[in-house]
Amino acid sequence: MSGPITVDLPHQLGKAGARARMDAGAGKLTGFIPGGNVTEHRWEGDTMIIAVQAMGQRVAARMTVTETHVHALFELPPLLAPFAETIRGKLQKDGAGLLR
């Protein structure tokens, strides 16, 4: 595994509102991973655990919800490591839109 991608996404929804938006938009996360498909989606407390299959590889993500932001952590396998900065940039640019 390469180093994780971390991004903080601000919101003004409170925890419950952010969780509801994340649940409704979990499938949209595939847009951040080239060729991705969500294969796992569950909650552990205030953390959404999600897995995306992309290019025959598994991308694991944990997104922890607070009152003011979502802290997202994506673990990329070595084959997808060259896409790390592209994915980080897309998350920073478009990720907060998932919480609106």
Side-chain angles (χ1 to χ4, degrees), residues 3-90:
I5 296 171
T6 59
V7 176
D8 286 315
L9 304 170
H11 66 80
Q12 298 178 345
L13 304 169
K15 267 189 194 181
R19 281 182 60 132
R21 293 279 172 88
M22 290 172 63
D23 259 341
K28 294 178 184 175
L29 288 173
T30 60
F32 296 104
I33 310 292
N37 181 42
V38 174
T39 59
E40 180 182 358
H41 168 222
R42 72 178 192 282
W43 285 94
E44 291 181 4
D46 289 328
T47 300
M48 178 192 278
I49 308 298
I50 196 160
V52 176
Q53 281 296 123
M55 298 170 53
Q57 302 293 304
R58 183 177 186 271
V59 177
R62 301 176 59 85
M63 290 167 277
T64 303
V65 180
T66 72
E67 288 293 326
T68 60
H69 71 277
V70 173
H71 178 75
L73 183 143
F74 287 74
E75 292 281 349
L76 298 179
L79 183 66
L80 297 178
F83 298 104
E85 288 308 311
T86 300
I87 293 168
R88 182 190 324 274
K90 188 158 178 64

